[in-house]
Amino acid sequence: MLIKSDFDIQFQIAQPTAMLALLHLHPSLEQYVRHGNVLVIEHLPWGVSPGYGELIGTQEYHDSFGNRCSRFVAPAGHLRLSGTSTIEVDGMPDPVNPNLQQAPIQDLPSEVLQFLLASRYCEVDRFVQVSHDLFAG
């Protein structure tokens, strides 16, 4: 089964801005990539069509979670980040173990506790009721 993903993200930036983009597929999927997995960053001066802008270079690194990160300075003006990826997978559902049980917090390994902390990227206070409704029992 082929799975295709596309993105086209555009910004109007008032002044040069340091940016960090996590828009590549996770490296664990690299073996399945059939096409793409390239991040294109373009500065589009007034009247220039996407695909014809000035390409912006990046520095790449892997973060502590293994994500491929692209670091760059975006110039002031119209900025476009785009990409297309196609991966090929067997189409089978992920394995599920119906006998797994939820572990009490005190039994979790120390290295996973960071994933239980609040994040500025997720407004956890808005999810209190949702999590209670889903997992209270």
Side-chain angles (χ1 to χ4, degrees), residues 1-5 25 32 34-35 85-89 91:
M1 172 190 336
L2 296 176
I3 300 174
K4 181 179 179 184
S5 64
L25 297 174
Y32 305 110
R34 296 298 170 253
H35 171 61
S85 297
T86 303
I87 62 171
E88 185 172 359
V89 295

Side-chain angles (χ1 to χ4, degrees), residues 27-60:
S28 63
L29 297 173
E30 196 65 40
Q31 64 183 335
Y32 305 110
V33 173
R34 296 298 170 253
H35 171 61
N37 200 23
V38 175
L39 172 60
V40 178
I41 304 172
E42 296 176 274
H43 178 238
L44 300 170
W46 182 257
V48 174
S49 299
Y52 297 98
E54 172 192 349
L55 295 179
I56 306 297
T58 66
Q59 294 176 345
E60 293 195 355

Side-chain angles (χ1 to χ4, degrees), residues 10-30:
Q10 299 186 33
F11 300 95
Q12 283 293 337
I13 299 176
Q15 61 189 26
T17 304
M19 298 185 87
L20 182 62
L22 282 74
L23 295 170
H24 288 92
L25 297 174
H26 193 272
S28 63
L29 297 173
E30 196 65 40

Side-chain angles (χ1 to χ4, degrees), residues 1 6 9 14 67 121 131:
M1 172 190 336
D6 296 299
I9 304 167
N67 298 304
Y121 301 110
S131 62

